[in-house]
């Protein structure tokens, strides 16, 4: 279990100038009265004050000095924030229970990520196969069987979630609650069937208990300003938000509800429910849940201007829900008139290009877009549309394709006079991040991109296998084409540059949902 505590160390006041030289201070290990003072005899207030200057790991080590110091370790003022990254492993439970028992009742900001370090093989798999399996299950066919290790993973996950929620159920000081549950590759490709959950929770008692605990937390909250729940396996239901009192809903500043595993056409929040959240400054939802009526609610003069909107577009959601209710361009225009500083972040999982062309309305103030594909590739027409419509806003463009055949990447510039990625770099003058894998990027086009954006392109991540050279470049025997290419890109960017050699080191590719959730959090906080 990794523990991250955000607390800035304070400057410790020193002795008066010249005190040591004048012999004004007591000798080391001696009190003012001349008696020896041990660590265990220090007042609790002083021990807590000492701890306040230490980082979390140092604080834990210092608490081993004696039992008195251990008693002072969990003083509420020392732990206003808990940020936990939990491996979904039975070994985590004793440590988690201890920490949450100590801190759960007073912590003000709690962020928990549940993740499996090593995904078990068998029964589900990854890549396109998993995507196709999820689609088949959505069509009424029996889902693929899961291995015993997968079932153990789900069972442990439910137990850890229960531990976290039960410890904060009566915490009335909680101001920020963020839960993220990317526990299996299946979650990246579609619904985890109730068949799977039925094997680890036959009567549904644990799921019901989790949902009831979540509603208790909302009902007991008195200071909650930030509520974020992403891919947490049915923790949020369509009735969860009704547990929030009107005063809390009226003062909520951030709301994030992302869950591709709710059944059928169910939505986690309606436009009527959204009317209570008049002070909302950032919002994250499944795109299919963000309707034209919601856009009208947010555009109302009674609502404070919205600054950040993050939308997750998933092929599974589109399969079960309709795009007919999505905001039209006039809805986006009205929303941006009321929220002039609004910026939008879209992540698209395996979405067909025809659907993306419908979704991308001209008046969306799109700042970031992330494509992650397993079966369906993004077309050059989509990239070209983005560069033309969002040239004044776009800063982040991520294009990932987890293809099985590594020898035949799609080429966006096929049958085009200009490469769409080069046009993107030329038109979008605020572009600061470009990441590509699984699409052919010609070496001379990448050089052009580097020259067009220069040092303003802070991040340029292109995998080695995605880069190709034309025959003219390879035919020149006097120049090493690879060395020359790297040199030209580096000169264009004004800094040393190299292609990404190992795709497994690129978190945006290996952990797309976690990457999106983490980026969504920072995007929403950066108002």
């Amino acid at each position: 279990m990794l523990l991250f505590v955000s607390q800035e160390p304070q400057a410790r006041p020193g002795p008066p100038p010249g005190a040591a030289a004048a012999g004004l201070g007591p000798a080391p290990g001696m009190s003012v009265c001349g008696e020896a003072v041990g660590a265990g005899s220090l007042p609790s207030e002083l021990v807590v004050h000492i701890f306040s200057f230490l980082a979390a790991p140092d604080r834990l080590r210092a608490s081993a000095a004696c039992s008195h110091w251990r008693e002072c370790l969990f003083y509420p003022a020392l732990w206003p924030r808990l940020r936990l990254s939990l491996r979904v492993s039975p070994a985590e439970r004793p440590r988690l229970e201890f920490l949450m028992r100590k801190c759960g009742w007073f912590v003000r900001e709690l962020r928990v990520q549940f993740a499996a370090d090593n995904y078990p093989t068998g029964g589900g798999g990854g890549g396109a196969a998993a995507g196709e399996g999820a689609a088949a299950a959505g069509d009424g066919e029996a889902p693929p069987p899961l291995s015993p290790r997968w079932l153990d993973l789900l069972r442990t996950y439910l137990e850890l979630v229960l531990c976290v929620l039960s410890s904060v159920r009566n915490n009335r000081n909680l101001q920020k609650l963020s839960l993220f549950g990317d526990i299996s590759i299946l979650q990246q490709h579609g619904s985890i069937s109730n068949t799977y959950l039925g094997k680890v929770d036959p009567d549904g008692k644990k799921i019901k208990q989790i949902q009831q605990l979540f509603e208790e937390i909302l009902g007991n909250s008195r200071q909650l300003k930030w509520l974020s729940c992403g891919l947490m396996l049915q923790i949020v239901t369509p009735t969860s938000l009704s547990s929030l009192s009107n005063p809390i809903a009226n003062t909520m500043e951030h709301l994030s509800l992302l869950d591709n595993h709710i059944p059928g056409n169910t939505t986690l929040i309606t436009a009527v429910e959204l009317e209570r959240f008049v002070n909302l400054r950032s919002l994250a939802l499944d795109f299919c849940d963000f309707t034209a009526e919601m856009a009208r609610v947010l555009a109302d003069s009674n609502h404070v201007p919205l600054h950040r909107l993050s939308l997750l577009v998933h092929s599974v959601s589109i399969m079960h829900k309709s795009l007919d209710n999505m905001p039209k361009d006039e809805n986006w225009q009205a929303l941006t008139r009321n929220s002039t500083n609004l910026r939008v972040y879209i992540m698209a999982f395996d979405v067909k290009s025809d659907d993306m062309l419908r979704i991308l309305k001209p008046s969306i103030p799109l700042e970031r877009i992330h494509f992650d594909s397993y079966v369906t590739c993004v077309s050059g027409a989509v990239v070209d549309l983005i560069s033309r419509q969002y040239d004044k806003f776009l800063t982040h463009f991520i294009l990932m394709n987890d293809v099985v055949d590594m020898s035949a990447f799609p080429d966006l510039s096929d049958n085009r006079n200009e490469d769409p990625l080069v046009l993107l770099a030329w038109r979008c003058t605020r572009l600061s991040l470009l990441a590509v894998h699984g699409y052919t990027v010609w070496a001379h086009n990448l050089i052009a991109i580097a020259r067009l954006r220069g040092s303003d392109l802070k991040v340029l991540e292109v995998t080695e296998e995605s880069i190709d050279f034309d025959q003219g470049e390879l035919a020149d025997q006097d120049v090493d084409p690879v060395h020359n290419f790297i040199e030209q890109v580096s000169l264009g960017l004004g800094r040393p540059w190299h292609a990404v050699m190992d795709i497994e080191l690129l978190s945006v590719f290996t952990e797309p949902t976690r990457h999106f959730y983490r980026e969504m959090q920072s995007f929403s906080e950066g108002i």
Side-chain angles (χ1 to χ4, degrees):
M1 177 170 64
L2 301 178
L3 170 63
F4 304 94
V5 180
S6 301
Q7 186 164 329
E8 296 295 330
Q10 303 172 10
R12 181 184 294 183
L24 298 179
M30 299 294 293
S31 69
V32 177
C33 298
E35 298 177 354
V37 177
S41 62
L42 293 176
S44 299
E45 292 80 2
L46 183 54
V47 176
V48 171
H49 186 62
I50 293 171
F51 281 173
S52 69
F53 294 103
L54 303 179
D58 296 330
R59 193 181 300 163
L60 292 170
R61 282 190 287 268
S63 69
C66 63
S67 60
H68 176 53
W69 282 41
R70 281 196 296 275
E71 291 172 0
C72 297
L73 176 61
F74 290 104
Y75 191 79
L78 295 173
W79 304 94
R81 306 174 189 88
L82 283 180
R83 300 187 180 186
L84 308 177
S85 181
L86 297 174
R87 292 180 297 107
V88 179
S89 164
E92 290 283 22
R93 187 169 179 177
R95 295 191 289 264
L96 180 64
E97 287 179 343
F98 172 79
L99 183 62
M100 297 308 299
R101 185 171 64 251
K102 292 289 187 179
C103 300
W105 61 277
F106 62 73
V107 66
R108 293 180 179 272
E109 177 182 335
L110 178 62
R111 295 191 179 189
V112 185
Q113 289 190 8
F114 300 88
D117 286 344
N118 298 307
Y119 296 117
T121 58
E132 292 167 354
D139 291 335
E141 298 180 15
L146 286 184
S147 69
R149 289 189 63 200
W150 276 109
L151 298 177
D152 288 342
L153 196 71
L154 288 175
R155 188 178 294 107
T156 303
Y157 164 78
L158 295 178
E159 292 172 353
L160 294 180
V161 173
L162 281 170
C163 176
V164 170
L165 296 185
S166 60
S167 66
V168 296
R169 65 194 300 179
N170 296 316
N171 185 341
R172 300 196 173 205
N173 297 316
L174 197 62
Q175 296 176 0
K176 284 189 174 184
L177 177 61
S178 175
L179 303 171
F180 175 69
D182 184 15
I183 65 160
S184 75
I185 292 177
L186 287 180
Q187 284 190 284
Q188 300 173 13
H189 308 290
S191 299
I192 293 183
S193 168
N194 286 334
T195 304
Y196 303 146
L197 290 176
K199 291 181 180 296
V200 298
D201 186 24
D203 50 8
K205 283 186 177 180
K206 287 185 178 179
I207 289 292
K208 291 177 182 176
Q209 188 179 357
I210 286 172
Q211 293 171 350
Q212 289 171 358
L213 284 171
F214 185 71
E215 291 181 3
E216 281 187 45
I217 292 169
L218 299 187
N220 292 331
S221 64
R222 295 295 179 269
Q223 302 182 44
L224 196 63
K225 302 290 185 184
W226 179 291
L227 178 61
S228 184
C229 191
L231 308 180
M232 284 296 295
L233 273 184
Q234 303 180 15
I235 187 173
V236 187
T237 69
T239 61
S240 295
L241 292 181
S242 62
S243 302
L244 283 170
S245 65
N246 283 330
I248 296 300
N250 293 161
T251 56
M252 187 81 71
E253 296 178 358
H254 171 83
L255 180 63
S256 171
L257 300 175
L258 301 168
D259 188 352
N260 294 310
H261 311 104
I262 54 176
N265 294 321
T266 308
T267 58
L268 297 178
I269 184 171
T270 63
V272 174
E273 184 70 48
L274 190 62
E275 290 178 355
R276 296 202 298 154
F277 295 82
V278 294
N279 204 46
L280 213 58
R281 286 164 169 78
S282 58
L283 177 65
L285 292 175
D286 186 288
F287 181 83
C288 292
D289 291 345
F290 186 69
T291 62
E293 186 59 33
M294 280 192 177
R296 284 192 286 269
V297 170
L298 294 171
D300 191 275
S301 58
N302 293 329
H303 198 288
V304 302
L306 190 68
H307 290 262
R308 297 289 186 268
L309 177 60
S310 301
L311 298 169
L312 178 62
V313 192
H314 203 294
S315 57
V316 174
S317 294
I318 294 176
M319 185 191 312
H320 295 291
K321 302 176 184 180
S322 172
L323 291 176
D324 294 340
N325 296 323
M326 68 180 177
K328 298 179 173 58
D329 196 53
E330 54 265 30
N331 301 126
W332 285 107
Q333 291 174 2
L335 180 56
T336 53
R337 279 196 298 269
N338 183 56
S339 304
T340 55
N341 294 319
L342 176 64
R343 296 295 180 266
V344 176
Y345 179 12
I346 292 178
M347 180 165 189
F349 272 110
D350 224 23
V351 180
K352 296 178 182 177
S353 291
D354 289 345
D355 288 330
M356 288 306 305
L357 292 173
R358 290 180 60 194
I359 288 168
L360 295 172
K361 304 301 183 187
S363 298
I364 299 176
L366 184 66
E367 184 177 284
R368 306 182 183 195
I369 190 161
H370 178 175
F371 292 100
D372 196 272
S373 303
Y374 296 88
V375 180
T376 305
C377 295
V378 176
S379 68
V382 171
V383 179
D384 185 62
L385 180 72
I386 290 170
S387 68
R388 286 188 285 105
Q389 291 188 165
Y390 312 119
D391 55 303
K392 293 181 175 62
F393 301 104
L394 194 71
T395 62
H396 291 54
F397 187 84
I398 298 174
L399 197 59
M400 295 286 138
N401 183 23
D402 188 7
V403 291
V404 177
D405 184 4
M406 302 289 284
S407 64
F409 288 166
D411 185 357
L412 296 174
S413 61
D414 267 355
N415 303 318
R416 291 175 175 270
N417 294 327
E418 298 292 342
D419 182 78
L421 291 176
V422 174
L423 291 175
L424 183 86
W426 175 54
R427 291 167 175 160
C428 301
T429 56
R430 299 184 63 219
L431 189 69
S432 61
L433 184 149
L434 177 63
V436 182
H437 168 71
Y439 293 84
T440 298
V441 181
W442 295 98
H444 60 273
N445 287 332
L446 199 56
I447 293 171
I449 290 170
R451 290 173 176 172
L452 282 166
R453 294 276 50 87
S455 59
D456 291 335
L457 189 57
K458 305 299 183 185
V459 178
L460 177 60
E461 293 180 330
V462 183
T463 54
E464 182 188 30
E465 54 263 41
S466 300
I467 300 170
D468 206 349
F469 296 83
D470 61 34
Q471 294 302 314
E473 293 170 317
L474 296 175
D476 190 348
Q477 300 296 323
D478 297 329
V479 179
D480 180 354
V482 176
H483 176 78
N484 181 65
F485 159 69
I486 293 174
E487 183 179 39
Q488 291 301 314
V489 174
S490 299
L491 286 172
L493 296 174
R495 64 179 185 274
W497 179 87
H498 292 279
V500 177
M501 305 300 289
D502 185 359
I503 186 60
E504 296 302 321
L505 299 178
L506 200 60
S507 65
V508 68
F509 173 77
T510 57
E511 301 173 323
T513 49
R514 189 189 295 194
H515 178 273
F516 169 69
Y517 193 76
R518 182 175 61 246
E519 290 298 304
M520 180 273 293
Q521 297 269 81
S522 62
F523 177 68
S524 299
E525 289 173 335
I527 298 176

